[in-house]
Amino acid sequence: MTGNYDAWQGLWNLQHAERFLRGETPLWFSERVWAPEGASLVFHALSPGLTIPGALIARATNPFIAYNSLVLLCFAFAAAFLHRLARRTGATVLGGVLAALAFCLAPLYTTRVAAGHLNLLGAACFPAALEGLVLATRRQGQARLLGVVLAGTAMAFSVYVDFYLALLCSFVLVVTAVSELSCLRGAALWKAIAGLLGAGLLSALLAWPLLSRVARATERVEGHDPRSLSVEPVALVVPGRAQAVHRLVSGLEGHPDPPEVEKNSYLGLLPLAALAWSLFSRPSRFHAGVSFAAGVCLVLSLGPVLQIAGKETAIPMPYQLLQKFVPALASGGGVNRFLLLVPLALALSVGLAVTALSARPSTKKRVLLALLVAAFVIESLPANPGVSSAPYNPPDPAMLAIARQRRLARQPPLAHSASAGGVLDLDPGIPNLFRQLRHERPQVWGYLSRAPRAALERRLRDPLLGPLYRQEDRAGAPTTAGAPTTAGAPAGARLPREASAFLLREYWGIGFLTGPDCSPFIDRASSFGFPVLMRSGLSFAFTVPASGIAKLTRVDLSLPDPEALRLGVRLEGLSGPLEGTRWIGSRAEVFFPADPGEWEVSVSDPQSGTSGLTLRWGDRGKALEWPLLPGRNVLGFSVTGEDLTPGGGLLMRFETVPGGWCREPWLRSAPCPLRHRAGMCDASAPGEGPLTPPHGDPLPAAAGRGEMSNSHSSSGLARRGARGDEQLSLEFWAGATRGEGR
């Protein structure tokens, strides 16, 4: 493949696009990563403008040929459109050819090939959109209409490839359009404005499916730290490690620590010289507009504060102010991406400089031009052309062993789709994507270019999954030592195998553990005590067995988390215990091994009685809503086999309704009744008979609190404060009311 590391993410994107074309998955959502919830791909570098054509190529060939073809096509289209743009703006044929060469050999793009950043290679949208702008403002009739279509289509294409490319394309179009319109008058001006508005409307219509999803997106994503990706001024003129000539100047560098490709900001001395010459020789309005836009982007790429020799200074930069006015930039953070527009201005300058140099041809000029071209090629050559072979070729036997195993019978209760999570890969980086290409199962972690923060934090909080990964690393890099431990327990504490298997398999839907067959990954997997499916030397596969954990007839939610986990009880959204009391915000969750039957929950509100509670149970979302009166409230409900996971796990969710209003967005936005009208027995009114709940199924008959609570302990719910966002204190429990253990 033409690329390393992130190129395998591009290969995964191609497979996702193929599954979309076959109607197996939505385009902007995948149940195969961050399973069992799944994850939105709106902020992921999916690049459907490239991957969907690549998926069509893969149907006739294979994914590797398809990916390589996309890389070559990106450069071919960029060269073609750059040549046409240079010709339309005054360059000769030779000038256009060398301008296209300067653009395609720009170090900023060749290093992206080596890194596998396919989404950043769609830079053909820049010259294509600008050529459309030239036609829309300078031509008449069909040529103007062609320019409108070309500019609008190129702009929409940039949206479907990468948000940074779309931002840069929009910016250079606006700046250049202002420059072009400033020299027009009368009817020509209004026709040009109409053409540009038409191009903008066309691009908005074509890009609306994605733009509307971005506008409606509610998930939070983690972006890069802009300080770690800021460009240093010295790196603009000193070849980086990605250049072949870096060895000649290696002693002059003092770069910080971002990845090698992100260090490379070299623009090329000869293109910079061509740009300086063109700016001092009265450039056209068009060239001046493009150069101005590139200059602004160069300044923004320096980040929030100026960095020199790898050290931050106290000098603030314009990006710091821009980020305050455009908070959405925080979800990206890759400030060095702004530099991708600069090669466009440099390439156009090269075309104009070559045109001027060859105006009066002579032997000396031809020799000088040949030497300059050779020098440019040498200074632009990458140290690594970026070619990698499949890491698991031939296929890894351990991954194939997972693929052959029978899939889980039903999805776990967290699933939002038809597919259950199946694999926990202990290496959360990009390698888990190409392992997934072999085992073909959803995985509980999953590498995305923008990790969904809610799903990430949920896993880091989990007492089994969290210790497997380093919490301070928001990208999800693995820890260097240690084994799974229970939350709140001393380091190295271990759960019983039955409890670990129950929680992993029934709650998360994990059937297999995998990762690189080396330390520390194999050590962590072995610490669970699960049976080994296969070790291939490349990776390992452990089977998470069905658990024989004892079913509970009574759950004491005041137990400390380590003790609860040993019984297979998973608590979330509860803190404490404090003198037998649990504290809950707007939502709490309890998962435990249970049998079907009649169950009851006891909560109390000893104060104002203006709070409410919603109880949801099972993976089908059965729910009851009821208000809480002062004193004790007992709710009975039925659990059937359909409410349990295959291994007998029951998921219960408690949602508070402070102030009598349903504040959660997926509940009815209406006042909740404040009177006791359900089959709940208040300790202060023991003779109150069974009634019909305000929402949900009828409750079991109960003549009084004593009949519904045979062996339960006391519990209570107290509201703190009157605001809807305040916490509620809970000391509640759930217990069986039928069968053994009553």
Side-chain angles (χ1 to χ4, degrees):
M1 290 181 63
T2 52
N4 288 290
Y5 206 63
D6 278 350
W8 297 97
Q9 184 185 68
L11 203 67
W12 185 92
N13 291 342
L14 283 178
Q15 188 192 60
H16 177 79
E18 284 190 83
R19 297 179 65 240
F20 164 71
L21 294 177
R22 293 195 299 265
E24 299 177 4
T25 183
L27 178 61
W28 299 109
F29 183 87
S30 176
E31 76 285 354
R32 294 167 63 85
V33 290
W34 299 95
E37 308 101 311
S40 170
L41 303 181
V42 171
F43 297 103
H44 172 60
L46 182 61
S47 302
L50 296 175
T51 52
I52 289 181
L56 296 175
I57 298 174
R59 286 186 172 185
T61 55
N62 62 59
F64 298 95
I65 293 178
Y67 183 90
N68 296 338
S69 300
L70 287 177
V71 173
L72 296 177
L73 288 173
C74 284
F75 281 94
F77 278 104
F81 281 115
L82 203 288
H83 178 267
R84 291 174 58 86
L85 180 63
R87 293 281 289 135
R88 290 190 183 279
T89 55
T92 60
V93 174
L94 180 61
V97 170
L98 294 182
L101 179 67
F103 188 73
C104 292
L105 286 184
L108 293 177
Y109 289 119
T110 56
T111 54
R112 299 295 170 182
V113 176
H117 293 172
L118 180 64
N119 56 307
L120 299 180
L121 297 181
C125 61
F126 297 157
L130 287 175
E131 183 183 6
L133 182 144
V134 170
L135 293 175
T137 55
R138 299 182 183 181
R139 298 293 190 269
Q140 302 293 331
Q142 293 183 352
R144 185 189 296 274
L145 180 60
L146 176 62
V148 170
V149 173
L150 181 59
T153 304
M155 182 61 218
F157 173 78
S158 68
V159 174
Y160 285 106
V161 173
D162 186 84
F163 286 136
Y164 278 104
L165 294 186
L167 181 63
L168 296 177
C169 191
S170 302
F171 179 62
V172 72
L173 279 177
V174 170
V175 172
T176 311
V178 172
S179 177
E180 287 287 293
L181 295 177
S182 63
C183 62
L184 299 178
R185 298 291 185 273
L189 174 62
W190 291 111
K191 289 181 180 180
I193 292 176
L196 295 178
L197 292 177
L201 179 61
L202 176 61
S203 65
L205 291 175
L206 293 177
W208 180 250
L210 177 55
L211 296 177
S212 61
R213 289 180 178 272
V214 173
R216 297 194 306 267
T218 58
E219 66 268 21
R220 300 174 301 164
V221 294
E222 289 280 340
H224 297 289
D225 180 6
R227 296 174 183 267
S228 67
L229 298 179
S230 298
V231 173
E232 294 188 28
V234 67
L236 300 172
V237 294
V238 176
R241 293 181 177 87
Q243 305 309 124
V245 296
H246 168 71
R247 296 181 180 179
L248 301 178
V249 293
S250 57
L252 301 178
E253 284 201 281
H255 287 295
D257 296 328
E260 177 178 313
V261 64
E262 307 294 359
K263 293 180 182 180
N264 189 66
S265 306
Y266 184 55
L267 299 178
L269 297 180
L270 292 178
L272 286 173
L275 176 63
W277 172 86
S278 63
L279 293 179
F280 283 103
S281 59
R282 294 185 178 181
S284 64
R285 290 180 179 270
F286 177 85
H287 188 266
V290 174
S291 300
F292 175 78
V296 171
C297 291
L298 189 151
V299 173
L300 292 177
S301 70
L302 300 179
V305 295
L306 185 64
Q307 295 187 14
I308 298 178
K311 298 180 180 179
E312 294 185 358
T313 66
I315 304 175
M317 300 304 294
Y319 180 82
Q320 190 174 127
L321 180 63
L322 179 64
Q323 194 173 24
K324 292 182 179 179
F325 288 98
V326 189
L329 291 175
S331 62
V335 291
N336 57 351
R337 269 62 166 173
F338 286 106
L339 210 59
L340 294 174
L341 187 63
V342 178
L344 176 67
L346 296 178
L348 292 176
S349 299
V350 168
L352 295 178
V354 170
T355 298
L357 186 61
S358 59
R360 296 180 180 179
S362 65
T363 303
K364 292 183 179 180
K365 287 185 177 181
R366 293 190 183 97
V367 172
L368 177 61
L369 184 59
L371 292 176
L372 291 176
V373 171
F376 167 73
V377 171
I378 292 174
E379 75 167 345
S380 301
L381 283 178
N384 176 15
V387 178
S388 63
S389 58
Y392 291 160
N393 188 24
D396 180 15
M399 297 300 99
L400 296 182
I402 293 178
R404 287 193 295 265
Q405 298 298 308
R406 183 175 63 87
R407 298 184 181 274
L408 297 179
R410 285 176 55 194
Q411 68 266 29
L414 289 179
H416 294 171
S417 61
S419 298
V423 172
L424 174 62
D425 198 316
L426 301 189
D427 176 10
I430 285 181
N432 69 39
L433 293 183
F434 55 74
R435 276 191 289 271
Q436 187 182 44
L437 295 177
R438 292 302 187 186
H439 64 65
E440 297 183 340
R441 288 174 177 267
Q443 51 189 359
V444 174
W445 203 268
Y447 182 92
L448 294 179
S449 53
R450 292 294 180 272
R453 185 183 301 178
L456 175 63
E457 292 178 350
R458 186 181 188 87
R459 283 149 179 78
L460 292 177
R461 289 195 309 264
D462 186 83
L464 287 178
L465 304 187
L468 297 174
Y469 305 98
R470 192 170 55 202
Q471 295 199 20
E472 63 271 16
D473 185 353
R474 307 307 291 173
T479 55
T480 56
T485 61
T486 58
R494 295 273 300 280
L495 291 180
R497 168 177 153 168
E498 293 77 11
S500 297
F502 174 77
L503 293 172
L504 290 177
R505 188 177 184 91
E506 302 303 325
Y507 184 82
W508 290 107
I510 297 172
F512 306 92
L513 304 181
T514 188
D517 195 0
C518 61
S519 182
F521 305 104
I522 186 66
D523 302 328
R524 299 189 197 126
S526 301
S527 67
F528 285 102
F530 298 152
V532 178
L533 178 63
M534 181 174 289
R535 292 184 62 179
S536 65
L538 294 173
S539 61
F540 61 80
F542 285 75
T543 302
V544 180
S547 174
I549 194 168
K551 302 299 189 294
L552 301 179
T553 58
R554 180 172 177 270
V555 182
D556 184 0
L557 301 186
S558 65
L559 284 176
D561 289 340
E563 297 181 25
L565 288 169
R566 292 180 178 276
L567 299 175
V569 179
R570 184 186 186 278
L571 308 175
E572 184 173 348
L574 302 173
S575 60
L578 301 173
E579 299 180 355
T581 300
R582 286 279 185 172
W583 295 88
I584 181 177
S586 61
R587 185 178 304 171
E589 183 178 284
V590 181
F591 182 76
F592 60 96
D595 283 320
E598 300 297 329
W599 287 74
E600 63 182 16
V601 175
S602 174
V603 289
S604 66
D605 185 0
Q607 294 187 8
S608 62
T610 58
S611 299
L613 190 69
T614 298
L615 170 65
R616 300 178 184 274
W617 71 95
D619 57 0
R620 297 193 176 186
K622 292 183 179 179
L624 288 174
E625 303 175 17
W626 84 101
L628 300 179
L629 290 179
R632 188 163 308 284
N633 299 260
V634 180
L635 170 67
F637 62 98
S638 298
V639 175
T640 65
E642 294 181 349
D643 300 327
L644 303 176
T645 65
L650 176 62
L651 178 67
M652 297 174 57
R653 290 189 174 98
F654 300 90
E655 300 164 7
T656 63
V657 189
W661 287 83
C662 303
R663 301 181 62 84
E664 293 297 328
W666 43 290
L667 297 178
R668 283 193 304 276
S669 180
C672 297
L674 296 181
R675 294 185 58 237
H676 232 354
R677 298 187 56 209
M680 297 157 281
C681 303
D682 186 9
S684 61
E688 187 171 332
L691 301 174
T692 303
H695 311 291
D697 300 326
L699 299 177
R705 179 171 182 264
E707 292 189 17
M708 293 190 65
S709 53
N710 192 352
S711 61
H712 59 274
S713 60
S714 63
S715 56
L717 169 63
R719 184 167 179 268
R720 302 182 67 199
R723 293 182 54 190
D725 57 354
E726 294 293 336
Q727 290 185 325
L728 301 176
S729 87
L730 293 166
E731 51 169 309
F732 59 147
W733 57 271
T737 59
R738 284 187 182 176
E740 292 186 19
R742 176 174 176 177

